[in-house]
Every structure is written in C-alpha cells, then in structure tokens.
Amino acid sequence: MRRKLAAGNWKMNGTQDSLDVIAALAEAHATAIVDILVCPPATLIAAAAAGSGPVAIGGQDCHMAESGAHTGDISPLMLRDAGASHVILGHSERRQDHGEDDDMVCAKARAAIKAGLVAVICVGESLAERDAGTTLDVISGQLAGSVPDAADGADGASVVIAYEPIWAIGTGKVPTMAQIGDVHDHIRARLEDRFGPEVGQAIRVLYGGSVKAGNAADIFAVRNVDGALVGGASLTVQDFSPIVTALEAAG
Ligand code: PGA
C-alpha cells in the first residue's frame, strides 16, 4: 500500500512571514495519516525545517554536483544540511526557463538520491503534444530519460513521480479524470516494466496542475493517483489544508 503524499510547491513565493503557514499546517495536521511536504523557496528551508513537525520540507531544484564553482546553485548536500528531505526536480518551469533536459534532471535526481533526498521528478506534456495525441509517448520518454536506475538507488522510498500537464499548471484547467487515469496507469506500467512489479508498485505518482479544494476529491479517487503536487493552492493554510484532508479521506 502506497502512503499518500500531499506536496506543496511554493515556487518563487514566500518570505519570513510565510513560515507561519507551515507552522499552522503542522498544527492542523499533527496526526496526519498521509505524508505532507512543503517546498518553500530555498531562503526559507532551514527555518521551515526547524519546526515543521509532521510537515516535511523540500527544495525546488538542486545542482548535480556536491559542491564547487557553480554560482547561485545549491547542492543536494546543502539541501539536506538545511533540513530538507525532498527535492522537486524537472518541473516544467525549470525545463522551460532554465533549459533543463531529461539528462540534466536524471543527473540531479541521481545526486539527490545519493545525498539521501527523495527526488520528486516531474513529467508532463504540452498542449501541442496533447492535441497531437503524443502525450503517452512524451511521458514515456521523460520517464526513461529523467528517472535514475535502480543501480543509482531509485526505488519506492527515494523516488516520487509528479505528472503535471504543462497546460494545467496555474491555468485553472484540469484534464478529465479519464485523462488523468490514462496517464497515471501508463506511468505505473512503465515503472513496473523498468523496475519490476514490487518497486514499480511502490513508487508514488502524484498529479499536479490546478489542484484545488474543489477538485481534489475527484482527482484523488482516480486509480494510481497517490496524491498531489500543488502550486498556487499550497500558499495558504485555508487552501492547502482541505486538500490534505481530501487526500486523507480518499484512504
Ligand atoms: P498549480 O501548480 O497548482 O498552481 O497549477 C502546480 C505546479 O506547478 O506544481
């Protein structure tokens, strides 16, 4: 049985005041029966991790090297040192804004796993790819290219996949539940092909893209959806807490 995960991606939002959100979440979900993760900007990780109770704290990106001459970058070891347990990798905003390709995402994921972080690896098609009917091929390619091998430590504990259709991120548009189910089933099948049934069944697959309190229960009822990666609706307790509660109710 996969333990569900409600993950928040704050993107480039949040200052010291926002630590209150994490404290309030921790209090509201002190006895949560699902995993809760918040990925604030890097500037808040250490302070957030110092008192986040049941809320795990993650980074939103990391470099593939442990240290060195990489101005502005943060290594997986530094994230761990600051108290992070997870890191989001290959988000479509990184792939688009920073030219990250599958090879880079895979190298980062290998480094993250080596440092003891859980790699939350994002995949997802563009609207043009969906319209062209190539969604499942695109997802297969991204999984094959971005997810490290078992020999690199990839397993159900170290890897989480987030399916995030690019056209659904921050747009209020959500695929139909059938479309989400098709992609999640496809991801599960590819993971089983590659890692075998045990590990393939153990890796959690999140849905992300315009998840809100109002659609969370429907999304969480879809087969092979093990939780959500939530952007905008993770910035306040009022918005995020009902999503966590919906995930708990989904059992
Ligand atoms: P959104 O973002 O929930 O604001 O659509 C999701 C994400 O990019 O992870």
Side-chain angles (χ1 to χ4, degrees), residues 136-163:
L136 297 184
D137 291 339
V138 169
I139 301 297
S140 295
Q142 290 175 334
L143 287 173
S146 305
V147 179
D149 292 326
D152 296 314
D155 63 19
S158 64
V159 170
V160 173
I161 306 296
Y163 167 54

Side-chain angles (χ1 to χ4, degrees), residues 9 11 91 93 164 168-171 208-212 229-233:
N9 172 14
K11 309 191 179 184
H91 189 282
E93 287 152 15
E164 299 207 307
I169 294 175
T171 59
S210 295
V211 176
K212 309 269 179 260
L229 181 56
V230 184

